[in-house]
């Protein structure tokens, strides 16, 4: 079996890298937590790393650079200025890229999502806007897998099934420029880019609190048209085992948490 | 009074003043202490004067300021140490690994866990957002400097009533403004540094109107081999200051914390409140842990109260050495700071490392990769002096023994127990349904979901029992939260708070015991077993004998019970002078209890699980209503404060724990504020199912807050085995089912629909906060 290398990328304020690394370690591969400056060569020489040498790239959650300009904007700008070519090549090689929470915001800021007209758009085409409640929302969320075709991240999550990945963010409402909102959504659906949508316990698309942010069309996660770049607000890496689910003391016990399947799928796709 | 004749400006190109203490009269010493913001007493000023007279020289402003920091109540616990030593210190069951800036206890063969709680009361009363945020920053550094990865934050908060209409003490801010600011400060700082805020409390009482209490706790995990002393390794070590830059924010923080608040505090002490920067802190945590785990450093300590002036002296002294520091090498936020300001500034996000010369370059390189400043500012030398230079000029040289052996007082103490002197006046209660709904909507009992949903309580992916237990988005309260610190191990830590200021106000000794009892029963309720405590003692002005009496009694109660249980208190914090012209806060000893959970997959939560299961009350209900929620709500007076029988608590803990390990208990909730009635109601809310309970007493016994009690759910098939496990009192209450809570007493029957209970419980806080 191929030795799979995973890059969990971080800068100051990235704060979900430990559990992101644990997620990949739980499915039998060896992840490495890498600082952006290690890819840019701005570090002691023994710590330098090459993005191309990895098979999977993960952008974990957090508040990169404090999110003081716009969530994810600074991390994205720093990646774009020093690493654009490497990233484009990585994506065009079909290698999986996953961004969770702040990582999703970074992928949108980078133009790697929704990327309807090419690998990476020049400017961001969408935004993850302040939640309708106006507050940070840390709560359980249920997601229905709605991708019609195959994707490298969902081979182990059947279409129509519901998973519990918790959310924790203040800016997770997916929006397009108002005038193009309807058209962009249609294209997104047509391209089969909608992967996860928020639902209630009956599996119905529901409002707050089940959709914690008021996102367009209840969208929780999208991929690029090729299906190898995935961004999502909820955190699969927080539910690797059943005991971190919110209601695990009430339901029938099983060992695995819902989050594992997404990482299993990604690893399987590159093996 | 003009003191100009005592000040001699030194002829150097920077501000430096020699102060002629030898010539100062007593009256002048007093004024000097006040004008310079030293918060030192006349006796203390005389002691400093005599010290420098014996050295035959005048102290510099840097020296005088530095001594004031070291001798502040905040830094040297001069009023409380005698009491703490008698009752709390030294309980040791062989599992204490360290009593440094944070306590460290054994977690398993390979790991220890670090714990500490402290206050950030006065800064938060002046500037709630910044005060609370930097409170989190400070407690995280205390855990970090043990070499531990912070894994959880805890924050019990105390304010005046949200609906307070009348006048406020001069200079005080409205409770609603303070709650918003403090919660936002914790949210923005805790969420950004990525440490989950998992446990807390919101308490409201008139006594906190002018002086809110913001207590912040942190727990960490550390490999035993990475555990660090807060000391230098030895002569020749380099002192590396890392993290944030130093500025004028947070000057005189500790001396400000050691005085009562007044209407002038806002103007005079705004500069004492530090400014937090979580995005400097977050990489600072990574960088410090990385250089530590690589074995590159010999010691580490955080810069908190007193800033550099405390950290250099304490680190050097603990390592049996002295130090020389080039103070002008400290990176500054702005130019133009005087040496004394640099020396005592409490600017945030700073850590001091001690490292051998051969490791310095690698450390600086690693910090550079994280874009975190790290600067060598001095060196460890033989002897017992700390010497400071500024542009080559010596500005400070003090003997560490003199500096760090601050005064210690055995102040006069008057012990009063109001519950014994106030005549009990029972309240006239409305019908049981009204009482229950009123209590569910009491802000001290109502759901705190409005707060904890804004805190990321799941980051790091190890939160097993969360602040809410039960149906998704419908959960009831949890007794303790449970964290799984290590991804590859199922062993966990239970974190629970215990505090009841109203009990303490009436009977500080029983109140102190009750805080330990509450923390223990909360830990037992989730399936853990109590292991250690850390405490934050918030009291009034210790120079008033009644206030000090409260402290002494509460600490005695806590200490007696902890000692009986043989559970150590390896860290803690004392916050005195929580007092305004209108009076003192209620005596508030906050206890954070830590418990070991052998296998987190066996945890128990509070939510009712299944129709038809039975409900039992474990423990004994007595006529103890002093300080209870029902007495407070309906204007009663006095009453007996619930006692704790140590032997009973210990036996209850052991038997309950054994029953849980056998899998006999499906859900469990401790009985506290609002008594049995509220405990059962909360369990119904979490499980979104009703229950029927019967009692042979009058209904108001349902609201007694006697200690050492739990409500448990047991499957009918396991009733016999469960009862067989217990020798402590246990009573069958009823069974689970329906969509309402039905209460039958000797005299009446009450039925309260779930819907109405949820509206009262969930709606109260959002409504008050608007």
């Amino acid at each position: 079996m191929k030795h799979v290398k995973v890059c969990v990328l971080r800068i100051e304020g990235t704060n979900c890298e430990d559990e992101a690394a644990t997620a990949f370690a739980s499915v039998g591969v060896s992840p490495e937590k890498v600082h952006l400056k290690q890819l840019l060569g701005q570090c002691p020489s023994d710590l330098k790393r090459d993005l191309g040498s990895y098979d999977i790239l993960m952008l974990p959650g957090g508040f990169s650079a404090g999110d003081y300009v716009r969530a994810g904007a600074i991390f994205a700008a720093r990646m774009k200025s020093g690493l654009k070519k490497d990233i484009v090549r990585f994506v065009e090689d079909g290698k999986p890229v996953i961004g969770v929470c702040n990582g999703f915001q970074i992928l949108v800021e980078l133009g790697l999502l929704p990327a309807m007209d090419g690998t990476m758009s020049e400017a961001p085409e969408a935004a993850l806007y302040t939640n309708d409640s106006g507050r940070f929302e840390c709560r359980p969320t249920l997601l229905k897998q709605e991708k019609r075709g195959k994707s490298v991240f969902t081979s182990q999550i059947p279409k129509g099934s519901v998973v519990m990945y918790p959310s924790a963010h203040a800016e997770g409402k997916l929006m397009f420029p108002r005038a193009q909102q309807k058209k962009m959504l249609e294209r997104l659906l047509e391209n089969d880019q909608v992967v996860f949508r928020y639902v209630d316990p009956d599996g119905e698309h529901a409002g707050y609190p089940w959709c914690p942010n008021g996102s367009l069309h209840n969208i929780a996660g999208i991929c690029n048209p090729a299906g190898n770049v995935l961004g999502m607000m909820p955190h699969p890496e927080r539910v690797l085992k059943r005991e971190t689910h919110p209601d695990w003391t009430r339901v029938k016990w099983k060992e695995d948490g819902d989050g594992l399947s997404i990482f299993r799928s990604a690893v399987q796709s590159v093996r | 009074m003009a003191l100009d004749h005592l000040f001699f400006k030194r002829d150097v190109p920077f501000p430096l003043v020699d102060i002629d203490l030898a010539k100062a009269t007593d009256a002048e010493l007093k004024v000097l202490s006040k004008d310079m913001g030293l918060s030192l007493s006349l006796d203390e000023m005389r002691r400093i004067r005599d010290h420098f007279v014996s050295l035959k020289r005048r102290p510099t402003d840097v020296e005088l300021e530095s001594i004031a920091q070291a001798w502040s109540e905040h830094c040297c616990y001069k009023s409380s140490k005698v009491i703490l030593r008698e009752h709390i210190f030294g309980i040791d069951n062989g599992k204490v690994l360290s009593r440094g800036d944070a306590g460290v206890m054994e977690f398993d063969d390979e790991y220890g866990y670090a714990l500490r709680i402290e206050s950030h009361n006065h800064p938060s009363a002046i500037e709630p957002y910044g005060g609370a945020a930097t409170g989190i920053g400070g407690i995280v550094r205390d855990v970090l400097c043990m070499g531990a990865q912070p894994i959880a934050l805890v924050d019990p908060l105390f304010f005046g009533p949200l609906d307070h209409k009348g006048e406020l003490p001069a200079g005080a801010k409205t409770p609603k403004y303070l709650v918003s600011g403090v919660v936002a400060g914790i949210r923005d700082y805790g969420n950004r540094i990525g440490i989950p805020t998992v446990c807390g409390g919101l308490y409201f009482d008139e006594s906190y109107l002018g002086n809110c209490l913001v207590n912040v706790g942190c727990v960490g995990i550390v490999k035993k081999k990475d555990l660090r002393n807060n000391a230098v390794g030895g002569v020749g070590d380099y002192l590396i200051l890392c993290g944030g830059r130093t500025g004028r924010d947070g000057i005189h923080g500790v001396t400000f914390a050691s005085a009562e608040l007044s209407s002038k505090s806002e103007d005079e002490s705004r500069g004492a409140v530090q400014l937090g920067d979580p995005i400097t802190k977050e990489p600072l945590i990574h960088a410090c842990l990385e250089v530590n785990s690589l074995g590159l450093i010999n010691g580490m300590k955080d810069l908190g109260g007193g800033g550099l002036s405390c950290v250099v002296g304490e680190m050097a002294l603990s390592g049996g050495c002295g130090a020389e520091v080039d103070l002008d090498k400290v990176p500054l936020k702005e130019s133009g700071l005087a040496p004394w300001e640099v020396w005592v500034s409490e600017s945030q996000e700073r850590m001091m490392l001690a490292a051998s010369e051969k490791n310095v370059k690698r450390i600086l390189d690693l910090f550079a990769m994280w874009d975190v400043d790290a600067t060598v500012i001095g060196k460890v030398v033989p002897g017992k002096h700390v010497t400071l230079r500024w542009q080559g000029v010596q500005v400070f040289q003090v003997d560490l023994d003199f500096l760090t052996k601050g005064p210690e007082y055995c102040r006069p103490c008057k012990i009063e127990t109001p519950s014994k002197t106030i005549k009990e006046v029972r309240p006239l209660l409305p019908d049981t349904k009204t009482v229950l709904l009123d209590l569910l909507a009491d802000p001290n009992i109502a759901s705190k979901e409005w707060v904890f949903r804004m805190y990321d309580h799941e980051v790091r992916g190890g939160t097993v029992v969360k602040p809410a237990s039960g149906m998704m988005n419908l959960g009831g309260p949890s007794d303790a939260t449970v964290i799984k610190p290590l991804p590859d191990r199922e062993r966990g830590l239970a974190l629970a708070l215990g505090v009841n200021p109203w009990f303490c106000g009436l009977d500080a000794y029983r109140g102190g015991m009750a805080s330990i009892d509450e923390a223990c029963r909360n830990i037992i309720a989730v399936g853990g077993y109590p292991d250690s405590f850390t405490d934050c003692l918030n009291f009034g002005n210790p120079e008033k004998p009644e206030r000090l009496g409260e402290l002494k009694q509460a600490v005695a109660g806590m200490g007696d019970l902890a000692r009986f249980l043989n559970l150590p208190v390896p860290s803690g914090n004392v916050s005195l002078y929580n007092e305004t012209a209108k009076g003192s806060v209620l005596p508030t000893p906050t206890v954070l209890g830590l418990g070991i959970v052998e296998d987190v997959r066996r945890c128990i939560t509070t939510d009712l699980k299944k129709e038809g299961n039975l409900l039992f009350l474990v423990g004994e209900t007595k006529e103890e209503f002093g300080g209870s929620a029902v007495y407070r709500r309906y204007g009663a007076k006095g009453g007996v404060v619930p006692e704790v029988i140590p032997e009973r608590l210990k036996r209850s803990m052991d038997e309950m724990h054994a029953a849980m390990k056998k899998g006999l208990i499906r859900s469990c909730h401790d009985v506290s504020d609002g008594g049995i009635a509220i405990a059962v109601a909360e369990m119904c809310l979490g499980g979104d199912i009703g229950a029927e309970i019967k009692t042979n007493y009058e209904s108001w016994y349902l609201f007694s807050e006697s200690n050492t009690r739990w409500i448990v759910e047991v499957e009918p098939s396991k009733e016999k085995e469960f009862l067989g496990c217990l020798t402590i009192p246990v009573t069958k209450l009823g069974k689970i089912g329906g969509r309402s809570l039905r209460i039958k007493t000797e005299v009446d029957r009450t039925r309260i629909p779930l819907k109405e209970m949820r509206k009262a419980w969930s709606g109260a806080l959002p409504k008050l906060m608007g």
Side-chain angles (χ1 to χ4, degrees), chain B residues 438-582:
Chain B
D438 276 355
L439 289 183
L440 280 174
D442 182 322
N444 281 305
I445 290 174
S447 170
K448 310 298 185 286
E449 186 165 8
W450 179 82
V451 178
F452 69 70
R453 292 280 175 222
M454 286 195 270
Y455 299 155
D456 193 339
H457 50 266
E458 301 201 76
V459 59
R460 300 191 60 75
T463 312
V464 173
V465 175
K466 305 174 203 294
S469 283
M471 304 277 282
M472 272 187 251
N473 284 326
L474 285 177
S478 299
D479 283 328
T481 32
V482 176
I483 298 282
K484 190 167 93 86
L486 303 162
D488 57 343
R489 291 170 207 210
E490 299 298 342
R491 197 173 174 84
L493 285 171
L495 288 73
L497 286 168
V499 58
N500 192 315
W502 301 281
F503 289 177
C504 293
L506 287 171
D507 184 333
Y509 182 80
R510 285 192 171 188
M513 275 204 165
S515 59
I516 296 277
D517 187 277
E518 187 184 4
C520 287
R521 56 185 201 253
N522 280 331
I523 290 168
I524 288 292
V526 295
Y529 197 87
D531 196 63
S532 67
F533 306 105
T534 178
D535 61 340
C536 186
L537 304 168
N538 308 271
F539 289 80
N541 183 343
E543 294 159 45
K544 299 176 182 167
E546 304 79 35
R547 297 287 87 79
L548 196 65
E550 289 170 347
L551 174 69
K552 188 173 163 51
Q553 287 299 93
V555 169
M558 294 163 65
D560 286 354
L561 190 50
R563 198 173 299 275
F564 179 85
L565 298 170
N566 196 25
L567 295 176
V569 189
S571 64
N573 167 256
V574 183
S575 171
L576 304 176
Y577 299 93
N578 290 296
E579 178 144 8
T580 64
K582 291 241 162 147

Side-chain angles (χ1 to χ4, degrees), chain A residues 10 12-19 22 35 37-38 43-44 46-47 63 65-66 68 78 135-140 142 164 166 168 209-210 238 241 243-250 253 255, chain B residues 191-194 278-279 282-283 286 362 365-366 368-371 449-450 453-461 463-464 466 470-473 484 487 490 600-601 603 605 607-609 666 687:
Chain A
R10 59 181 177 179
E12 69 277 6
T14 307
N15 63 32
C16 300
E17 64 264 48
D18 286 350
E19 51 272 40
T22 301
H35 195 286
K37 287 172 82 176
Q38 292 178 261
C43 63
D46 60 319
L47 297 178
F63 287 80
Y68 289 124
R78 281 168 66 181
R135 286 195 299 268
F136 190 95
E137 296 276 351
C138 179
R139 56 174 71 248
L142 297 166
M164 200 301 299
W210 300 105
R238 294 186 181 183
K241 295 199 169 184
E243 66 253 27
T244 53
H245 278 241
D247 57 350
W248 67 273
T249 60
R250 306 183 61 77
W253 177 257
E255 201 67 36
Chain B
N191 291 358
R192 279 195 163 86
I193 60 171
I279 298 303
E282 203 275 339
H286 287 299
R362 185 68 177 177
D365 281 348
L366 287 170
M369 195 187 78
W370 280 105
D371 292 316
E449 186 165 8
W450 179 82
R453 292 280 175 222
M454 286 195 270
Y455 299 155
D456 193 339
H457 50 266
E458 301 201 76
V459 59
R460 300 191 60 75
T463 312
V464 173
K466 305 174 203 294
M471 304 277 282
M472 272 187 251
N473 284 326
K484 190 167 93 86
E490 299 298 342
V600 296
R601 295 169 297 186
C603 279
T605 50
D607 47 309
L608 294 180
K609 301 295 186 301
R666 291 287 283 131

Side-chain angles (χ1 to χ4, degrees), chain A residues 4-259:
Chain A
V4 177
K5 279 182 73 185
V6 181
C7 172
V8 177
L9 192 59
R10 59 181 177 179
I11 62 169
E12 69 277 6
T14 307
N15 63 32
C16 300
E17 64 264 48
D18 286 350
E19 51 272 40
T22 301
F24 282 102
S26 311
V27 296
V29 296
S30 41
E32 188 181 5
K33 289 177 272 185
V34 180
H35 195 286
L36 178 63
K37 287 172 82 176
Q38 292 178 261
L39 297 182
L40 297 172
Q42 298 161 2
C43 63
S45 58
D46 60 319
L47 297 178
K48 284 182 188 166
R49 298 290 182 272
D50 171 20
L51 180 62
S53 72
Y54 295 94
D55 304 297
I56 298 175
L57 172 63
M58 165 128 195
L59 301 175
F63 287 80
S64 55
D67 278 356
Y68 289 124
V69 179
R70 209 168 46 242
I74 296 174
F75 198 165
R78 281 168 66 181
M79 283 177 80
K80 217 168 179 171
S81 73
L83 218 57
K84 188 175 171 187
K85 266 192 203 154
D86 296 7
I87 295 169
V88 169
R89 188 176 316 129
F90 196 94
V91 173
E92 288 180 350
D93 284 349
K95 292 179 177 177
V97 178
I98 176 169
V100 167
C101 198
N102 196 225
F104 184 16
Q105 294 160 342
I106 294 161
L107 290 174
V108 170
E109 287 288 329
L110 263 177
L112 286 179
L113 286 176
M116 294 188 211
D117 304 300
T119 309
M120 182 192 256
S121 60
E122 271 311 306
E125 294 171 323
L128 289 153
Y129 196 68
T130 308
N131 298 346
D132 279 353
S133 67
R135 286 195 299 268
F136 190 95
E137 296 276 351
C138 179
R139 56 174 71 248
T141 38
L142 297 166
L143 315 181
K144 192 184 259 186
Q145 203 279 83
E146 303 210 355
K147 189 161 167 59
R148 298 187 300 272
K150 284 187 176 165
S151 123
V152 298
F153 298 100
T154 53
S155 63
Q156 311 232 350
I157 311 170
K159 179 171 184 299
S161 63
V162 173
V163 288
M164 200 301 299
Y165 299 160
S167 288
H169 58 256
E171 293 151 321
K173 178 182 184 175
L174 182 72
M175 291 179 85
F176 291 108
R178 208 167 291 278
Q180 304 160 36
Q181 187 104 297
K182 204 171 155 226
K183 210 176 109 216
M184 296 287 271
L185 176 61
E186 275 168 17
R187 281 188 70 193
L188 203 64
L189 291 165
E190 209 176 278
N191 288 349
D192 196 19
Q193 287 182 257
V194 175
V195 183
F196 292 115
R197 292 175 67 195
Y198 298 107
V199 293
D200 65 16
D202 299 323
E204 304 296 330
H205 301 120
Y208 184 84
W210 300 105
C211 175
N213 45 34
S215 192
L216 173 69
H217 201 57
N218 271 38
I219 291 174
I222 58 173
C223 63
N224 63 349
N228 68 321
V229 178
L230 172 69
M232 58 195 302
M233 290 313 298
H235 290 268
E237 80 285 5
R238 294 186 181 183
V239 277
L240 303 174
K241 295 199 169 184
R242 187 59 44 181
E243 66 253 27
T244 53
H245 278 241
D247 57 350
W248 67 273
T249 60
R250 306 183 61 77
V251 293
K252 203 166 171 279
W253 177 257
K254 62 174 179 181
E255 201 67 36
D256 284 357
D258 282 358

Side-chain angles (χ1 to χ4, degrees), chain B residues 287-402:
Chain B
C288 287
L289 291 175
E290 193 170 332
V291 296
N292 182 45
S293 68
L294 291 170
L296 297 174
I297 59 175
N298 300 329
M300 173 159 54
K301 191 171 168 73
D302 82 297
L303 279 79
L308 281 164
S309 77
C310 286
V311 80
V312 172
E314 288 172 18
M315 272 184 97
L317 189 72
S318 306
C321 306
E324 284 176 9
V325 172
D326 287 307
L327 204 51
D328 50 338
K329 284 197 182 153
V330 172
L332 301 180
K333 290 182 180 175
E334 56 191 314
S335 60
L337 268 72
W340 75 267
E341 290 178 303
V342 176
W343 191 232
V344 305
S345 163
E346 295 174 14
S347 288
Q348 290 291 292
E349 329 306 358
R350 298 181 302 163
M351 297 283 288
M352 184 72 85
L353 311 177
S356 309
E357 186 176 5
K358 64 177 191 323
N359 295 328
V360 170
K361 183 172 181 308
R362 185 68 177 177
I363 292 171
L364 299 185
D365 281 348
L366 287 170
F367 273 81
M369 195 187 78
W370 280 105
D371 292 316
V372 177
D373 278 344
T375 315
V376 174
I377 64 159
K379 238 178 137 170
V380 177
V381 298
K384 282 219 163 163
H385 283 80
V386 169
T387 308
L388 301 184
R389 286 181 300 258
W390 186 276
Q391 296 175 14
V393 178
Q394 181 176 313
V395 298
F396 174 107
Q397 185 168 56
V398 177
D399 181 338
L400 282 175
D401 278 334
F402 178 73

